[in-house]
Amino acid sequence: MFDFRPVGYVIGLLVAALGLAMLPPMLVDMAEGRGHWRSFAESALLSVMTGGLIALACRNGLREGLSIQQTFLLTTGVWLALPMFGALPFMLGETEARPVDAFFEAMSGLTTTGATVFTGLDTMPKGLLLWRGILQWLGGIGIIVVAMVFLPELRVGGMQIFRSEAFDTMGKILPRATEIAAQISVIYCALTMTCLFTYMMLGMEAFDATVHALTTVSTGGFSTYDASFSAFSGPLEYVAAVFMVLAALPFVRYVQMVNGHRTALLRDKQVYGFVLVVVTLVAFTTLVLLAVFPHHWEKSFREAVFNITSIITGTGYASADYMAWGNLLVTVFFFTGLIGGCAGSTACSVKIFRYQILFASIKAQMRKTRSPNGVFVPRYDGRKIGDEALNSVMSFFVFFLVTLGLVSVLLGLTGLDFTTSVSGAASALANIGPGLGDTIGPAGTFADLNDTAKWVLSVAMLIGRLELLAVYAMLTVTFWRG
């Protein structure tokens, strides 16, 4: 019989911890003199009590390690339970958001998607703005741990090739995860504080700097203004781009650097490929933008750097309405969002290493076609790519494209137009944030979508954040049969 207790114990603890994370926004609202602090107090009490009771009820089932089935269930269950409780402050108090909108916003926050259904951010209680930032910050560090500890063990989407590079976790996932999370947390916090102080040094107010530091390092993209990052300009855009890139690099390399391997980051093939793609796209976009901003090299370069970095890392900030830049760049931005950052980072989407494995496989097949008697083995970072990892990556691409098509069709059936359906599906599945078009583009929000579309997109955000296969595996009969 399947034992749910170890899964329930961990989920209960995390729900209780989420409740405690509601206290800082409550204090901010109290200091601001807004009555919304009561909604945070009620939400925190409900979350802590519910999570604590679940953990106590399941405590007698705690084991040294988790089975594969329990690990799959835990990975998905956490990202399903936390948005439910994270949505409570949106439903209570001044905003009184409907459950569908509150859940959408919380899911978008914890998956670091950055799509929002809220307008009037400029006048929203500061506690809620801070809460949106905290949700994304927690989701960012959470997905790093999942990508470094759980997905390699579950052999999801080719992530097993990173098992030897990270940590030996087989058979002792929970204890080892605690040790890994401690090292990551220190680096993650240090990066966030550095970003915060840099924002403040360049003129951003303390509250705005705090929220934007949380959503920059998590590559989430929630802002404190309806205008997003266009409320700021100049040097702040360069700073944001730098920290978005740093957050999109593999955190395991940071851990290795701290532990004495100084060149670990520079030797990573992922990092090289990611930086090369960013530089190429920025250069191309800058040249095209010169036709939009004649004789404005610095502005063209700055807008290209910021917006390309924001989209490829899945942050979703917008400093301009790139829908007005012409069809060529709109197309470039759409496909840029489907690239993503490095595995083991806060960035989302397909991830650069999967494209590198795909191209390595294509190269080997082309060489074999030219020389049928030759033996050509696809390699990644100098190592042979095993059949298991290669098949897993190919499966991921197939599932990604099929899911993208399915979600697009479902959105179209709700009455959305073609552009909104396809770009909305890509935005949710790749956890990018803004889509294309007048409704969900960089100058719009997801507020005007119908309820069915919002539920579909919420599910798509969950599936995309957990690399698809971690969720799909639980839909099979063989999974529950063990």
Side-chain angles (χ1 to χ4, degrees):
M1 182 178 178
F2 192 92
D3 189 0
F4 290 94
R5 291 175 298 173
V7 176
Y9 178 76
V10 177
I11 292 177
L13 290 181
L14 292 176
V15 168
L18 185 72
L20 295 177
M22 297 176 186
L23 298 181
M26 181 189 74
L27 297 176
V28 169
D29 272 345
M30 290 180 67
E32 190 185 15
R34 304 281 288 259
H36 194 269
W37 69 267
R38 294 183 179 85
S39 66
F40 278 109
E42 295 168 1
S43 301
L45 182 61
L46 181 60
S47 300
V48 171
M49 289 184 62
T50 304
L53 289 174
I54 293 175
L56 286 174
C58 299
R59 187 177 182 181
N60 61 344
L62 187 62
R63 297 290 184 269
E64 176 75 11
L66 296 176
S67 68
I68 293 297
Q69 289 85 356
Q70 289 170 333
T71 306
F72 270 109
L73 186 61
L74 173 62
T75 305
T76 304
V78 167
W79 256 263
L80 190 60
L82 294 186
M84 294 180 181
F85 288 89
L88 292 177
F90 299 127
M91 291 189 289
L92 305 175
E94 293 186 26
T95 50
E96 295 183 344
R98 296 179 306 131
V100 59
D101 290 330
F103 183 79
F104 181 97
E105 195 78 7
M107 180 64 78
S108 178
L110 283 164
T111 58
T112 69
T113 302
T116 183
V117 294
F118 288 150
T119 56
L121 299 179
D122 305 55
T123 57
M124 184 175 287
K126 286 187 175 181
L128 274 180
L129 296 175
L130 178 60
W131 179 237
R132 294 166 80 242
I134 289 175
L135 284 175
Q136 292 201 323
W137 192 81
L138 294 175
I141 191 171
I143 203 61
I144 295 173
V145 174
V146 167
M148 291 177 61
V149 181
F150 295 99
L151 297 185
E153 292 297 336
L154 301 177
R155 295 172 173 82
V156 169
M159 288 295 291
Q160 59 265 42
I161 67 174
F162 299 111
R163 285 182 61 189
S164 61
E165 294 183 3
F167 303 88
D168 180 18
T169 58
M170 180 58 72
K172 46 184 178 179
I173 288 178
L174 288 180
R176 200 60 173 140
T178 303
E179 181 180 336
I180 297 171
Q183 297 185 63
I184 294 174
S185 298
V186 173
I187 297 171
Y188 193 69
C189 290
L191 202 59
T192 305
M193 294 303 296
T194 305
C195 182
L196 189 157
F197 289 128
T198 306
Y199 278 153
M200 291 180 62
M201 288 174 59
L202 293 179
M204 194 180 286
E205 294 184 1
F207 179 77
D208 291 336
T210 300
V211 175
H212 283 90
L214 295 174
T215 59
T216 299
V217 174
S218 64
T219 60
F222 276 159
S223 179
T224 54
Y225 298 96
D226 287 330
S228 188
F229 221 87
S230 61
F232 315 98
S233 61
L236 285 170
E237 292 177 85
Y238 290 118
V239 170
V242 168
F243 281 97
M244 284 188 282
V245 168
L246 292 175
L249 302 182
F251 272 68
V252 65
R253 301 307 181 199
Y254 293 139
V255 173
Q256 291 172 342
M257 290 174 66
V258 170
N259 287 282
H261 301 279
R262 304 299 181 189
T263 60
L265 198 63
L266 299 177
R267 294 181 178 180
D268 194 316
K269 187 175 182 179
Q270 274 195 103
V271 175
Y272 175 80
F274 176 70
V275 173
L276 179 62
V277 170
V278 171
V279 170
T280 302
L281 289 173
V282 167
F284 176 79
T285 305
T286 300
L287 294 176
V288 176
L289 280 179
L290 284 174
V292 182
F293 307 113
H295 311 297
H296 289 79
W297 281 90
E298 192 278 332
K299 181 178 180 180
S300 298
F301 177 69
R302 172 163 41 87
E303 297 294 348
V305 168
F306 180 86
N307 289 284
I308 285 293
T309 303
S310 177
I311 293 299
I312 196 172
T313 60
T315 307
Y317 285 141
S319 64
D321 184 5
Y322 47 76
M323 291 298 299
W325 291 354
N327 292 332
L328 174 61
L329 286 185
V330 169
T331 305
V332 169
F333 273 78
F334 176 81
F335 287 105
T336 297
L338 299 180
I339 298 175
C342 300
S345 71
T346 63
C348 46
S349 196
V350 175
K351 302 291 193 313
I352 199 75
F353 86 93
R354 291 194 177 98
Y355 288 104
Q356 292 174 321
I357 291 177
L358 176 64
F359 293 146
S361 177
I362 293 174
K363 181 180 178 181
Q365 289 298 321
M366 291 179 65
R367 294 178 66 187
K368 189 173 183 178
T369 301
R370 293 195 301 266
S371 305
N373 296 325
V375 178
F376 304 101
V377 179
R379 294 183 176 276
Y380 176 81
D381 206 13
R383 294 170 297 161
K384 176 183 176 180
I385 304 173
D387 291 339
E388 182 190 32
L390 187 59
N391 292 336
S392 187
V393 169
M394 297 306 173
S395 298
F396 177 89
F397 275 108
V398 171
F399 273 102
F400 187 88
L401 292 176
V402 170
T403 306
L404 179 62
L406 178 61
V407 174
S408 299
V409 170
L410 290 176
L411 292 176
L413 291 175
T414 67
L416 302 183
D417 61 84
F418 178 80
T419 299
T420 303
S421 298
V422 175
S423 67
S427 170
L429 196 60
N431 305 114
I432 302 169
L436 302 178
D438 297 331
T439 305
I440 62 173
T445 69
F446 288 69
D448 294 331
L449 300 187
N450 57 76
D451 289 355
T452 304
K454 291 174 183 175
W455 286 119
V456 170
L457 290 171
S458 296
V459 173
M461 285 187 273
L462 170 67
I463 294 174
R465 183 75 275 191
L466 296 181
E467 312 269 335
L468 285 83
L469 300 178
V471 179
Y472 286 149
M474 296 193 305
L475 302 180
T476 62
V477 176
T478 54
F479 172 84
W480 296 105
R481 287 179 178 174

